[in-house]
Amino acid sequence: MMDSMDDVVDDYELTIAVEWMVEYILEIRGSSPIRSVTIIDAKDIDQVRNELLRELTDLYPEAGRIDVTVIRMSTISSIDSESMFEEDGMFHP
């Protein structure tokens, strides 16, 4: 019985999701561009893209077309908090 459980564990690939910060500009036909930031839990960039698309289509279900320009995408741990402040001390995500 233990051998079969070991096989299951050996075949299982552990994937760990991390938090990604995604800064983007959203353009929906007939509206002004919206600059926004979101946090997404994902294991890689491909999953981040899929989750961002899912999030935006959930937020704007009536939009026929959504154009997104990603400005910055990085894991939360790699964001230096000092880089979010300009020289004059203003917060800039």
Side-chain angles (χ1 to χ4, degrees):
M1 181 77 175
M2 285 298 264
D3 290 336
S4 63
M5 280 301 278
D6 289 342
D7 292 339
V8 170
V9 171
D10 290 341
D11 292 339
Y12 181 75
E13 182 180 329
L14 181 62
T15 56
I16 299 173
V18 295
E19 289 185 322
W20 293 75
M21 189 274 313
V22 182
E23 182 179 1
Y24 61 91
I25 296 174
L26 175 70
E27 296 180 58
I28 299 174
R29 191 172 299 160
S31 300
S32 298
I34 302 167
R35 187 170 180 164
S36 189
V37 175
T38 190
I39 304 297
I40 296 176
D41 289 331
K43 62 180 177 156
D44 58 25
I45 290 177
D46 290 331
Q47 189 178 8
V48 172
R49 289 183 188 126
N50 291 335
E51 289 298 317
L52 180 61
L53 177 61
R54 185 191 56 75
E55 181 177 311
L56 294 176
T57 54
D58 286 349
L59 286 172
Y60 304 98
E62 71 285 348
R65 177 182 169 141
I66 299 174
D67 292 318
V68 179
T69 303
V70 174
I71 299 169
R72 184 165 86 164
M73 181 186 303
S74 60
T75 59
I76 297 293
S77 63
S78 69
I79 299 172
D80 181 8
S81 60
E82 291 179 16
S83 68
M84 294 183 140
F85 290 88
E86 296 175 358
E87 291 179 19
D88 57 355
M90 293 184 62
F91 179 68
H92 181 70

